[in-house]
Structures are given as structure tokens and as C-alpha cells.
């Protein structure tokens, strides 16, 4: 029996282009690509030359109608700005790809290569690549114009703290950076007892004042001065000044409260230690571990001063120390700290090791002190305290020594500190040579106090390798988990075509 083979599947043949007669695969237009492009230009109506405005002073580009934005060359932001210029004319085609073609940075030209598609005759889809050239024109923005006119600021916030130590300012600087409150400032000027923030509008200044009152214990007042007015249009121009005074108490200060305030805080001792300053002043009684928080309003109603400045800290060596059970709470006593341990210690000044003179004191540092440790503290027994509340106290209620913090080798701590902080860009005038030591004090406070650390952005310093803990002397350190990676954006200027920027 014979089997007949079935008919073979027809192969798709070529057709001739209806214009030039070249054999081509069939398509809805019956034309070759060359003839189709000669008859149809899908980029018609899309401008090939445009301008963008650039401010040379602040290096920002104008995004119409009135926004100035910071863009790096060949960045996504700059590409988006360029495409917005031709957004209306691109609505008739489909944008497939867009990217920069490299140009000399000083050429005042930006070139963007676009790939578009459009459906043409009888449903045929044509794709075309073309280049749009942007001429960069210089134009001074309004902010820079005011600066050049020497009359640029409309409001200033003057932040002051009448202390010898800048710990609170260093903490405040990190809060401002974390919440990006410095973005609207025209200029930041540093003087010996504070900072001045200049703004182009009163609203921005008021926002900063509100932020300060929420983050540090302070009080503020404002004033304004008429600079010019137009009697025909009834327009008045003022310069506003906001004065913010921060409570003059820093971390590690020893203070003496008024009897009335100490009683209202749960019958605390009048002699207390400031363990931190956040939105309130945190105090601890070293003889009972009783803690209290004082906000700005309470402080200004019952003001008190620091008994010592940081340079009066003396070094002691712990001769003997005994942890003690918590004393019975008195009537109306407040809360006690769970992070500290009450202890009684015999200490001796390192400057008096050749004598037998020792001091007995109660301390809140029983959880970290051992015999032989070095500790920093204030000597109340041999100093002349000129304070109105101390002068009225019973001498037996005044301790001989108040211990503040355990002492570690500062050089070692600096050497292995594998993290860093960012700083505000500011004009510095009349800088004190003591600022570097104060800044190191602040960094050590961050290592020792987790509560303050939570409010600060800490960045990994890749220049310093991570060391093992074998040579650790017990000094507090910040874990890698608490650090952020510092972002570095590098520009790729290879001379070739720009990378694809479309998402």
C-alpha cells in the first residue's frame, strides 16, 4: 500500500517595495524601511534645540516656573529636567530610551539621545533615534541675587547658651542635620557663645524656633525692624530677629537646686549631677539615685547654675568601693535610676598619691567602678563655692567629692574610633582653641550614652579598620549595627555615551 505525502507548509515569500522595488518581508505599509523613513518623520514637532537656565553661584538648574534644583551632570534628576522641557511634544510618540551623550563640562551644552516609536501607515511601527541639544544659559537665582545685593536675609535666629562648654550645641547640630532643618538657611555663622541662622523668610525662621523649643530646653523672644515700605501699595518690609536662649546647664555639670525646687522634685538632694540634656535637663542625686527631669519653663521659674566648669575636673583613683542596697524611699520621693548602681567609695587624688589624704563619697557609678580605676570628679571640700543656694545649705549636707565619669585613655579611644559625624557648613569667627577638646568630650559622651546616640546619625568611617577586642580596656564603643554607610556618588566621565537613565 502506498502512502501519499501531504502538501508542504508554504514558506513566507518576499514582496517588492512599492516605492523602490527592493525585495522585503511583507509589512502593513508594503515599503522598505528607507522609503518609510523618507516619507514619514516621526520626530516632527519635537524641538531639537532648547535652553536650560543655570545659576553659577549656587550651581542649581531652573525647573520652570520658579523652582531651582541641585543636579549633577549626567544624573537622573538632570535628565528628568531635560525631558520635562519636551514633555508636551513627546505625547505623540512613545519614548523607548533616553540617555546623555558626553559633552565637555565647560562646553555649555547638554546632549540627550532619545529613542522613540510611533505607529505609521497601516499599523506599521517605526522606531527612530535622534539627539536633542540643550544650551546652558547663565541666570542668577533669587537667593543668590539677594546675597549679592548684601541685603538678602529677612529673618535671623540667634541661638545662645551662656556656658563654657559646647556639648549642647554639638548635640543640637546633629539634630539639625538629621532632620534637615539647615536646608532653608542662607548662611550659618558661628560666634563664641552660639550660632546665627539666616533665612530668606520669616516662616522658615519660625519653623527653626519651634524645632529648637521641642528639642532643647530653651526660651525665645522675637523682634522686628522696618527696613522699607511703599506708601502707594501699602507694602512693608521687615527684618525679624528671633533670640533663643538655651538653659545654661550641660552634661556632667554639678548643680545646686533651690530648696523649693528640690522639694517639688520628690525631696531630692540639692546637690545633683546633670547626666544628659535632651528636650529636658536630666538630673540624678548621686547619694540616692533619685532622678528628675526639668523642662525649660521649670528652669526659668527656678533658675540654678553650674557649680564648676569642665576644666576644674580632677582625676581620682578608687581605693575602695562597696555597692550598697538602695536606701529606703522617703515620703514623696520620686523615681530612681535603673541604669546606675549606688556605691560608697574611698578615693584619692592622683596628684596627692604621696599623702594619706583620702575622701569618702557616695556615687551613682557603682556599676562601672572598681578599686584601682581612674575617675573624674569635682572636689567640693577644698574649693570656694560662691553660690546663693550652697551658702545657705547645712555644711554636713554638702559632699566632699562628686564623681562624674570613669576615665579612659583618650588617645586609644581616638585611634580606634571607626565612626564619624557630619558637620554644618558655617562661617567661623573667633574660634576657641579649646573647641577640639570639647568636641572629643562630646564624641565620648555619644559612646557612653545610648539614649543620646539614638537621636544622632553616626556614619561608618571606612578609613579606620575594625579592630579586635583583645586589647580592649573596657571603654564604651559604638557597634557597627548602629552606624550608617556614608553615601559617595561618583561621576563616570569616560568620554563615551552616557549610561541609560530611563527607568
Amino acid at each position: 500500500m502506498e502512502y501519499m505525502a501531504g502538501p508542504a507548509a508554504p514558506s513566507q515569500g518576499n514582496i517588492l517595495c512599492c516605492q523602490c522595488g527592493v525585495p522585503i518581508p511583507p509589512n502593513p505599509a508594503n515599503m522598505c524601511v528607507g522609503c518609510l523613513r523618507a516619507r514619514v518623520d516621526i520626530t516632527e514637532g519635537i524641538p531639537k534645540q532648547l535652553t536650560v537656565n543655570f545659576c553659577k553661584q549656587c550651581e542649581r538648574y531652573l525647573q520652570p516656573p520658579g523652582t531651582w534644583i541641585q543636579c549633577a551632570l549626567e544624573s537622573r534628576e538632570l535628565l528628568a529636567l531635560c525631558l520635562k522641557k519636551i514633555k508636551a511634544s513627546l505625547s505623540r510618540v512613545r519614548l523607548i530610551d533616553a540617555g546623555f551623550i558626553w559633552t565637555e563640562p565647560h562646553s555649555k551644552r547638554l546632549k540627550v539621545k532619545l529613542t522613540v516609536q510611533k505607529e505609521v501607515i497601516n499599523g506599521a511601527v517605526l522606531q527612530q533615534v535622534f539627539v536633542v541639544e540643550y544650551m546652558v544659559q547663565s541666570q542668577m537665582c533669587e537667593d543668590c541675587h539677594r546675597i549679592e545685593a548684601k541685603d538678602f536675609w529677612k529673618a535671623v535666629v540667634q541661638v545662645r547658651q551662656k556656658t563654657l562648654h559646647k556639648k549642647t550645641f554639638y548635640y543640637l547640630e546633629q539634630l539639625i542635620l538629621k532632620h534637615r532643618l539647615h536646608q532653608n538657611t542662607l548662611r550659618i555663622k558661628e560666634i563664641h557663645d552660639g550660632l546665627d541662622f539666616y533665612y530668606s523668610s520669616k516662616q522658615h525662621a519660625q519653623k527653626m524656633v519651634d524645632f529648637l523649643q521641642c528639642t532643647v530646653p530653651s526660651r525665645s523672644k522675637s523682634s522686628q525692624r522696618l527696613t522699607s515700605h511703599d506708601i502707594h501699595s501699602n507694602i512693608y518690609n521687615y527684618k525679624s530677629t528671633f533670640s533663643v536662649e538655651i538653659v545654661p546647664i550641660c552634661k556632667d555639670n554639678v548643680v545646686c537646686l533651690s530648696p523649693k525646687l528640690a522639694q517639688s522634685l520628690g525631696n531630692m538632694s540639692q546637690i545633683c549631677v546633670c547626666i544628659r540634656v535632651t528636650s529636658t535637663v536630666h538630673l540624678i542625686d548621686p547619694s540616692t539615685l533619685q532622678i528628675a527631669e526639668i523642662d525649660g519653663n521649670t528652669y526659668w521659674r527656678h533658675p540654678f547654675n553650674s557649680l564648676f566648669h569642665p576644666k576644674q575636673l580632677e582625676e581620682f583613683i578608687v581605693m575602695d568601693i562597696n555597692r550598697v542596697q538602695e536606701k529606703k524611699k522617703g515620703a514623696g520621693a520620686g523615681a530612681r535610676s535603673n541604669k546606675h548602681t549606688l556605691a560608697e567609695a574611698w578615693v584619692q587624688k592622683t596628684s596627692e598619691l604621696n599623702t594619706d589624704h583620702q575622701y569618702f563619697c557616695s556615687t551613682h557609678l557603682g556599676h562601672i567602678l572598681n578599686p584601682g580605676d581612674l575617675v573624674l570628679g569635682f572636689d567640693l571640700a577644698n574649693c570656694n563655692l560662691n553660690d546663693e543656694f550652697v551658702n545657705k545649705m547645712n555644711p554636713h549636707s554638702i559632699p566632699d567629692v562628686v564623681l562624674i565619669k570613669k576615665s579612659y585613655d583618650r588617645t586609644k579611644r581616638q585611634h580606634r574610633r571607626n565612626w564619624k559625624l557630619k558637620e554644618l557648613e558655617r562661617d567661623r569667627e573667633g574660634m576657641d582653641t579649646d573647641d577640639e577638646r570639647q568636641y572629643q568630650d562630646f564624641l565620648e559622651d555619644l559612646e557612653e550614652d545610648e539614649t543620646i546616640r539614638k537621636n544622632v546619625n553616626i556614619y561608618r568611617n571606612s578609613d579606620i579598620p575594625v579592630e579586635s577586642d583583645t586589647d580592649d580596656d573596657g571603654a564604651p564603643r559604638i557597634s557597627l549595627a548602629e552606624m550608617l554607610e556614608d553615601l559617595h556618588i561618583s561621576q563616570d566621565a569616560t568620554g563615551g555615551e552616557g549610561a541609560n537613565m530611563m527607568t
Side-chain angles (χ1 to χ4, degrees):
M1 188 174 179
E2 294 183 1
Y3 292 93
M4 299 291 294
S11 60
Q12 186 176 13
N14 289 344
I15 64 169
L16 300 180
C17 172
C18 65
Q19 294 294 317
C20 63
V22 173
I24 57 169
N27 64 57
N30 293 330
M31 279 191 226
C32 65
V33 175
C35 295
L36 199 57
R37 281 186 178 155
R39 291 172 62 88
V40 181
D41 181 14
I42 65 173
T43 67
E44 188 178 1
I46 301 175
K48 306 299 188 295
Q49 284 192 327
L50 292 159
T51 60
V52 291
N53 296 314
F54 177 71
C55 177
K56 290 191 290 187
Q57 272 77 6
C58 60
E59 298 185 347
R60 293 187 298 175
Y61 292 87
L62 174 62
Q63 181 173 297
T67 307
W68 291 85
I69 59 173
Q70 197 95 28
C71 298
L73 284 174
E74 299 194 11
S75 64
R76 287 175 180 268
E77 293 79 12
L78 186 56
L79 183 64
L81 187 145
C82 291
L83 292 178
K84 280 179 183 176
K85 289 266 185 182
I86 55 174
K87 185 177 180 182
S89 52
L90 284 176
S91 59
R92 295 190 292 272
V93 296
R94 186 174 13 158
L95 183 62
I96 300 300
D97 190 22
F100 282 106
I101 296 176
W102 188 85
T103 55
E104 290 285 348
H106 59 271
S107 66
K108 300 289 185 183
R109 297 288 188 277
L110 299 173
K111 290 185 178 181
V112 179
K113 184 172 74 171
L114 301 175
T115 305
V116 295
Q117 282 183 353
K118 187 178 181 181
E119 191 175 306
V120 291
I121 304 168
N122 296 331
V125 177
L126 188 62
Q127 180 169 306
Q128 198 165 336
V129 179
F130 66 103
V131 175
V132 180
E133 184 176 323
Y134 295 84
M135 184 183 297
V136 181
Q137 285 188 344
S138 295
Q139 178 184 335
M140 190 178 286
C141 66
E142 293 179 4
D143 294 338
C144 294
H145 207 280
R146 288 197 192 98
I147 293 172
E148 290 298 313
K150 304 298 182 189
D151 189 28
F152 60 103
W153 62 272
K154 294 287 182 69
V156 60
V157 179
Q158 299 173 335
V159 188
R160 301 289 183 269
Q161 186 184 32
K162 297 173 182 175
T163 58
L164 293 173
H165 206 291
K166 296 183 178 179
K167 280 185 181 180
T168 309
F169 273 108
Y170 291 132
Y171 173 65
L172 186 59
E173 176 184 21
Q174 296 304 317
L175 288 178
I176 291 171
L177 283 166
K178 181 168 184 174
H179 294 91
R180 306 174 74 85
L181 260 292
H182 62 295
Q183 285 191 319
N184 295 321
T185 55
L186 298 174
R187 184 164 67 108
I188 303 173
K189 183 179 177 183
E190 181 174 352
I191 59 174
H192 67 281
D193 60 348
L195 293 169
D196 289 346
F197 297 87
Y198 293 90
Y199 295 91
S200 58
S201 71
K202 185 178 178 181
Q203 289 76 14
H204 289 153
Q206 185 63 59
K207 186 179 178 182
M208 173 60 93
V209 173
D210 295 342
F211 174 77
L212 292 172
Q213 290 182 328
C214 293
T215 51
V216 288
S218 58
R219 62 180 175 182
S220 66
K221 57 184 179 181
S222 62
S223 63
Q224 58 183 16
R225 175 169 60 89
L226 182 67
T227 55
S228 64
H229 73 281
D230 187 344
I231 58 174
H232 301 292
S233 58
N234 205 28
I235 294 175
Y236 293 81
N237 293 319
Y238 293 96
K239 279 194 171 184
S240 304
T241 301
F242 295 88
S243 177
V244 179
E245 185 181 357
I246 301 175
V247 167
I249 303 297
C250 287
K251 184 181 185 298
D252 297 338
N253 283 167
V254 176
V255 299
C256 184
L257 310 179
S258 65
K260 186 177 180 182
L261 179 59
Q263 186 180 8
S264 68
L265 295 174
N267 293 320
M268 287 182 77
S269 300
Q270 286 181 250
I271 303 288
C272 294
V273 177
C274 175
I275 51 175
R276 80 175 60 89
V277 177
T278 54
S279 56
T280 56
V281 178
H282 298 252
L283 300 177
I284 189 168
D285 179 354
S287 60
T288 63
L289 296 188
Q290 191 170 328
I291 53 175
E293 294 183 24
I294 298 177
D295 59 13
N297 292 332
T298 306
Y299 177 84
W300 299 117
R301 284 200 306 271
H302 306 282
F304 52 86
N305 298 313
S306 172
L307 301 183
F308 299 91
H309 56 79
K311 288 184 178 178
Q312 291 175 293
L313 272 171
E314 295 190 64
E315 192 175 59
F316 296 83
I317 186 167
V318 179
M319 308 306 291
D320 191 20
I321 186 165
N322 294 308
R323 279 74 177 170
V324 298
Q325 296 296 324
E326 289 189 11
K327 298 178 182 178
K328 258 191 175 179
K329 280 191 177 183
R336 290 182 177 173
S337 172
N338 296 322
K339 295 184 178 180
H340 299 85
T341 302
L342 189 63
E344 293 177 342
W346 285 95
V347 295
Q348 187 174 14
K349 287 184 185 180
T350 53
S351 59
E352 297 177 350
L353 288 178
N354 56 345
T355 67
D356 294 331
H357 194 185
Q358 294 185 8
Y359 302 89
F360 178 77
C361 62
S362 295
T363 179
H364 59 292
L365 303 176
H367 58 298
I368 57 173
L369 291 183
N370 295 298
D373 285 347
L374 295 176
V375 60
L376 299 175
F378 293 110
D379 179 5
L380 279 74
N382 301 309
C383 67
N384 185 14
L385 292 174
N386 187 16
D387 184 86
E388 58 172 323
F389 302 132
V390 175
N391 295 340
K392 295 175 184 176
M393 283 181 67
N394 182 345
H396 297 292
S397 303
I398 302 175
D400 290 341
V401 169
V402 176
L403 301 181
I404 301 298
K405 60 181 180 179
K406 188 174 178 180
S407 178
Y408 300 98
D409 187 336
R410 170 166 284 186
T411 309
K412 271 188 184 177
R413 292 182 76 168
Q414 278 184 259
H415 180 68
R416 68 177 179 215
R417 187 171 287 139
N418 58 343
W419 54 274
K420 59 185 177 181
L421 301 176
K422 293 192 174 179
E423 293 185 20
L424 288 173
E425 291 184 12
R426 54 190 184 267
D427 301 335
R428 299 173 186 267
E429 291 185 10
M431 294 297 292
D432 191 355
T433 54
D434 199 36
D435 284 353
E436 180 57 32
R437 185 187 66 82
Q438 295 185 15
Y439 189 65
Q440 292 301 323
D441 285 346
F442 171 67
L443 297 182
E444 290 174 7
D445 290 344
L446 283 181
E447 290 175 332
E448 294 165 12
D449 194 340
E450 186 183 353
T451 307
I452 294 180
R453 211 157 59 221
K454 288 177 180 175
N455 301 327
V456 174
N457 282 346
I458 296 168
Y459 296 92
R460 170 95 171 85
N461 189 354
S462 55
D463 298 335
I464 299 176
V466 181
E467 295 182 353
S468 64
D469 294 338
T470 52
D471 60 342
D472 198 356
D473 59 353
R477 299 172 72 173
I478 298 178
S479 65
L480 284 172
E482 297 178 79
M483 299 180 197
L484 302 172
E485 286 293 336
D486 198 4
L487 183 62
H488 295 285
I489 300 175
S490 59
Q491 299 286 333
D492 183 19
T494 58
E497 291 182 357
N500 288 341
M501 297 280 177
M502 282 298 294
T503 55

